Amino acid sequence: MEVKIGIAKTHKYAMSECGDSVEVAERPRGGISAILADGQGSGKAAKLTSSMVVNKAAALIAEGARDGAVARAVHDYLYTMKDGKVSSTLTVLSVDLETETVLFSRNSNCPVIIKNIYHTDVYEQEINSIGVHKRMKPLMHQLPLETGMILVSYSDGIQAAGRKRGKTMDFNYLLKIIEENEPGDASFIAEAILEYALQLDDYRPGDDMTVVVMGITDSENVHKIHRMSVNFPC
């Protein structure tokens, strides 16, 4: 079994920095987590917030903290550091080899989409962001780990794409991209969703946009070599 992670992101039009941050953390008892945060606002201030959130979450995961505890601890940290005046979304997608499960922790107005070999489920229950409300709990969900699964999450720049131009994102088209591709196509799925959102915004994104995709495939890697490829435009 092998985990493929695809990430595609871009910044708001006329901004030099993307206010979204993504981090990947290895789990000490086996597995991997992808962490997505969208800091309040845009530009440098939002970037500082989201970077602080994902770095704190990654450190806690590396120390062995459970995903739900990670979300609560990061919320408390952000609430304390910013005096409850700055919010951030936080979504953690995880493959936990110790429990042989896939799980996610979500504090975001954007859904988590999970496709398996039988059907596609959309988890979009209302949940608060972190950092502002004194009492906060994440939305958690856990499923048996199986090959063929695809997990997708994104920031609200994807969800709001086209609105400022009188267009509406066709969520069914987004699902079609996911359903017509395989777990090994994680990078392609992320890039295709981002490309669709950019088209809706006439390639002048109205907000920071990030897509994170995690696919579970059969492994052909007999030597269990870990690989990561990054493209970072400067």
Side-chain angles (χ1 to χ4, degrees):
M1 195 174 287
E2 191 165 323
V3 181
K4 306 281 190 180
I5 297 176
I7 299 165
K9 61 185 292 195
T10 191
H11 55 77
K12 181 178 179 180
Y13 180 70
M15 289 288 180
S16 60
E17 293 190 64
C18 179
D20 301 343
S21 292
V22 182
E23 186 61 79
V24 175
E26 287 191 57
R27 303 173 72 87
R29 296 184 182 89
I32 195 164
S33 296
I35 307 154
L36 167 62
D38 178 0
Q40 181 178 329
S42 56
K44 188 173 183 179
K47 182 63 177 179
L48 289 172
T49 298
S50 65
S51 292
M52 182 172 66
V53 167
V54 297
N55 289 336
K56 187 69 172 179
L60 290 166
I61 288 169
E63 291 168 2
R66 297 180 183 180
D67 291 47
V70 168
R72 288 176 171 86
V74 174
H75 161 74
D76 291 342
Y77 178 68
L78 180 60
Y79 186 89
T80 300
M81 295 298 293
K82 300 293 185 178
D83 199 27
K85 296 177 181 176
V86 176
S87 68
S88 175
T89 67
L90 174 62
T91 301
V92 182
L93 308 178
S94 298
V95 170
D96 187 344
L97 296 183
E98 182 184 31
T99 60
E100 297 187 348
T101 59
V102 162
L103 63 152
F104 70 79
S105 167
R106 171 177 158 259
N107 285 98
S108 172
N109 58 332
C110 298
V112 170
I113 303 164
I114 299 181
K115 172 194 168 186
N116 60 31
I117 59 174
Y118 302 108
H119 51 79
T120 301
D121 294 314
V122 180
Y123 299 88
E124 55 185 350
Q125 298 92 325
E126 187 174 342
I127 191 76
N128 289 328
S129 299
I130 65 169
V132 176
H133 304 280
K134 203 164 188 178
R135 295 182 179 178
M136 185 287 304
K137 64 178 182 179
L139 187 145
M140 300 285 302
H141 203 83
Q142 192 168 22
L143 295 166
L145 175 61
E146 299 174 349
T147 57
M149 299 181 80
I150 299 175
L151 291 78
V152 179
S153 191
Y154 47 81
S155 63
D156 59 5
I158 300 292
Q159 189 153 278
R163 288 181 187 173
K164 294 180 180 179
R165 292 165 175 77
K167 304 174 186 177
T168 303
M169 185 188 76
D170 183 353
F171 187 70
N172 288 327
Y173 180 74
L174 191 151
L175 290 178
K176 183 180 178 184
I177 293 173
I178 298 168
E179 290 169 353
E180 290 185 350
N181 287 282
E182 300 298 321
D185 303 322
S187 293
F188 174 80
I189 294 169
E191 291 171 12
I193 292 173
L194 179 64
E195 175 67 17
Y196 173 53
L198 286 171
Q199 288 177 7
L200 292 173
D201 269 349
D202 297 331
Y203 294 93
R204 295 185 176 188
D207 198 358
D208 303 312
M209 296 179 173
T210 303
V211 186
V212 179
V213 180
M214 183 178 283
I216 317 300
T217 70
D218 288 320
S219 179
E220 298 178 358
N221 185 356
V222 294
H223 300 295
K224 295 189 176 180
I225 299 170
H226 296 196
R227 296 183 177 92
M228 183 177 291
S229 178
V230 178
N231 295 328
F232 190 88
C234 299

